[in-house]
């Protein structure tokens, strides 16, 4: 049921043209993803230091140093806290890069990105956080984290998982049973930003044969949409644990 | 020993006369033009888009991002000022229909001068 988000992101194609003095054989596999094609062109050794030009279906998006780009597209999210200080050009670039769909995301990358969203939610302290786990059994290792989140903040936290066991009672945390397992192939963490929509963020990934395929986004409209989709799952007969 | 033609017969932009020509020095008297030339001397020929990319690339050395508006400005300066000036100095040929640029033949001295001018930045 979260497929449409991933499929839409996959359709927005991007082109990265990498300019550097030498053809690093790793650069294409490192940067190429399910919706990004990568091309290499040579610059002489006198030329500018390695850089990347980015284009999408609408045309030119931006140019930045290769090292800077790699930092931006490698999970976990590394993003400056202070959005006001960001140059418009940087913000525009991030908007395009955010829905880059990664294949072969490893669990630890997803974990790191999830951590970052949870941290952001904790710092903001209010708002709605919705998280999918494959099953309540899988969630058990996260109980300490979510205990702290529930107890130390005013966040409204919702966990979605297959009800293979009885979930523990955690303050501010509502458990929703995914009876049909419709969500079990997805890893999704979504936070609405509380009072500040610029703090909204979402990670969506789908498990496939050789890892996860997914993306993250800071688009408040997309985040709202995903949160509403998850909320509709919860609406159908959940088994709840109240605080 | 080559006979020197009289000024009215000689082409001032022939490679051998280039170093005596003010237009040559005017062509080099702007960093973006030296960047363009350095790139073309290595690549021999490339598209206008590639040259715009290279000019953008030079502006990312301090962690900046070059956006579409700035790239368009660089594109305009390239096709309306830099390429025509370099072309008048016979340093390159600019095919406006194909949007392709090719470097002209230059002496090793000029090639070294351009390279060292960029390395000196």
């Amino acid at each position: 049921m979260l497929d449409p988000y991933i499929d839409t992101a996959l359709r927005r194609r991007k082109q990265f043209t990498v300019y550097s003095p030498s053809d690093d054989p790793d650069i294409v596999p490192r940067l190429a993803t399910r919706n990004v094609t990568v091309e290499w062109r040579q610059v002489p050794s006198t030329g500018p230091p390695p850089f990347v030009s980015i284009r999408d279906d609408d045309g030119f998006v931006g140019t930045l140093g290769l090292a800077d780009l790699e930092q931006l597209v490698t999970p976990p999210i590394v993003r400056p806290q202070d959005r006001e200080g960001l140059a418009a050009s940087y913000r525009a670039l991030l908007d395009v890069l955010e829905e880059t769909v990664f294949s072969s995301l490893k669990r630890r990358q997803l974990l790191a990105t999830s951590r970052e969203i949870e941290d952001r939610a904790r710092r903001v302290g209010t708002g709605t956080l919705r998280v999918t786990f494959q099953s309540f059994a899988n969630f058990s290792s996260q109980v300490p984290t979510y205990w702290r989140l529930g107890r130390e903040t005013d966040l409204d936290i919702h966990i979605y998982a297959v009800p293979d066991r009885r979930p523990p009672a955690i303050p501010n945390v509502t458990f929703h049973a995914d009876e049909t397992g419709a969500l079990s192939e997805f890893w999704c963490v979504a936070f609405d930003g509380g009072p500040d929509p610029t703090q909204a963020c979402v990670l969506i990934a789908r498990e496939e044969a050789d890892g996860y395929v997914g993306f993250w986004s800071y688009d408040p409209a997309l985040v709202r949409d995903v949160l509403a989709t998850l909320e509709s799952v919860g609406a159908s007969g959940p088994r709840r644990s109240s605080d | 020993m080559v006979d020197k033609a009289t000024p009215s017969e000689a082409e001032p932009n022939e490679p051998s006369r280039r170093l005596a020509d003010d237009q040559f020095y005017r062509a080099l008297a702007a960093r973006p033009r030296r960047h363009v030339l350095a790139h073309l001397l290595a690549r021999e020929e490339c598209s206008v888009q590639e040259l715009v990319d290279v000019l953008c690339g030079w502006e990312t050395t301090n962690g900046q991002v070059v956006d579409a508006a700035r790239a368009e400005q660089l594109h305009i300066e390239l096709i309306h000022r830099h390429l025509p000036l370099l072309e008048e100095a016979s340093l390159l040929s600019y095919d406006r229909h194909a949007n392709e640029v090719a470097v002209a033949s230059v002496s090793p001295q000029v090639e070294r001068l351009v390279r060292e001018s960029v390395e000196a930045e």
Side-chain angles (χ1 to χ4, degrees):
Chain A
M1 73 157 14
L2 294 177
D3 285 312
Y5 298 105
I6 294 179
D7 294 339
T8 300
L10 278 170
R11 273 199 293 277
R12 287 197 207 102
R13 302 210 50 83
K14 285 161 267 254
Q15 295 84 46
F16 290 177
T17 307
V18 176
Y19 289 85
S20 67
S22 58
D23 184 8
D24 176 356
D26 281 336
I27 200 79
V28 171
R30 259 204 333 268
L31 289 180
T33 69
R34 290 276 282 270
N35 65 343
V36 175
T37 47
V38 179
E39 184 197 356
W40 174 76
R41 291 184 188 164
Q42 189 164 41
V43 286
S45 49
T46 51
F51 68 94
V52 186
S53 285
I54 298 164
R55 291 176 166 84
D56 69 4
D57 294 331
D58 298 326
F60 181 87
V61 176
T63 298
L64 74 168
L66 177 60
D68 293 331
L69 174 70
E70 291 203 79
Q71 196 180 46
L72 284 180
V73 297
T74 307
I77 307 166
V78 176
R79 225 201 194 226
Q81 301 304 332
D82 174 17
R83 286 192 62 118
E84 247 119 89
L86 289 182
S89 54
Y90 188 67
R91 272 206 300 273
L93 180 72
L94 287 176
D95 286 346
V96 166
L97 290 179
E98 269 153 16
E99 289 172 36
T100 296
V101 181
F102 297 89
S103 29
S104 309
L105 278 171
K106 301 289 186 284
R107 283 187 66 85
R108 68 176 160 74
Q109 288 167 319
L110 287 170
L111 270 170
T113 306
S114 304
R115 277 283 162 272
E116 190 168 319
I117 298 180
E118 287 159 3
D119 272 347
R120 176 180 289 229
R122 184 180 47 76
R123 269 180 274 113
V124 172
T126 63
T128 305
L129 177 69
R130 296 187 195 271
V131 188
T132 64
F133 284 90
Q134 277 183 318
S135 66
F136 287 155
N138 275 3
F139 175 72
S140 56
S141 62
Q142 300 302 310
V143 167
T145 302
Y146 279 82
W147 181 270
R148 266 201 312 278
L149 266 179
R151 223 182 38 156
E152 293 172 11
T153 71
D154 286 331
L155 289 166
D156 181 24
I157 301 168
H158 297 261
I159 306 291
Y160 300 80
V162 168
D164 55 353
R165 67 158 68 157
R166 182 197 222 66
I170 302 179
N172 286 335
V173 176
T174 308
F175 292 91
H176 304 269
D178 174 21
E179 303 280 3
T180 61
L183 290 175
S184 57
E185 62 177 327
F186 293 99
W187 185 311
C188 182
V189 183
F191 173 52
D192 69 352
D196 183 4
T198 66
Q199 295 294 325
C201 47
V202 63
L203 165 70
I204 306 184
R206 176 174 65 208
E207 187 168 15
E208 299 198 346
D210 55 353
Y212 285 82
V213 169
F215 70 95
W216 68 79
S217 176
Y218 287 73
D219 176 0
L222 177 67
V223 175
R224 261 201 310 277
D225 220 288
V226 172
L227 287 167
T229 301
L230 288 174
E231 192 175 357
S232 72
V233 172
S236 48
R239 176 188 305 170
R240 287 174 185 255
S241 167
S242 50
D243 45 324
Chain B
M1 188 68 182
V2 176
D3 278 0
K4 277 195 179 172
T6 58
S8 59
E9 288 168 25
E11 284 297 323
N13 285 323
E14 255 182 19
S16 57
R17 310 270 303 182
R18 180 168 279 148
L19 293 182
D21 180 28
D22 284 355
Q23 197 161 40
F24 167 68
Y25 296 99
R26 266 198 298 278
L28 290 194
R31 192 168 285 188
R33 290 198 285 277
R34 297 195 295 275
H35 287 161
V36 165
L37 209 43
H39 190 74
L40 283 170
L41 284 167
R43 288 277 276 127
E44 290 183 0
E45 63 182 12
C46 69
S47 63
V48 169
Q49 189 205 79
E50 183 167 323
L51 290 176
V52 176
D53 279 358
V54 168
L55 290 178
C56 290
W58 276 107
E59 296 196 353
T60 65
T61 52
N62 281 323
Q64 312 96 304
V65 171
V66 174
D67 64 10
R70 179 63 186 151
E72 182 54 23
Q73 199 176 1
L74 290 171
H75 180 222
I76 286 169
E77 286 169 17
L78 180 68
I79 63 177
H80 290 298
R81 192 144 126 256
H82 302 315
L83 290 181
L85 267 169
L86 287 164
E87 190 180 38
E88 273 161 38
S90 300
L91 289 166
L92 53 79
S93 61
Y94 173 23
D95 181 341
R96 285 152 177 80
H97 289 298
N99 278 312
E100 297 269 325
V101 183
V103 75
S105 125
V106 299
S107 69
Q109 290 164 298
V110 168
E111 196 164 340
R112 200 172 76 224
L113 174 66
V114 171
R115 193 181 65 240
E116 290 181 1
S117 74
V118 173
E119 282 168 0
E121 286 176 26

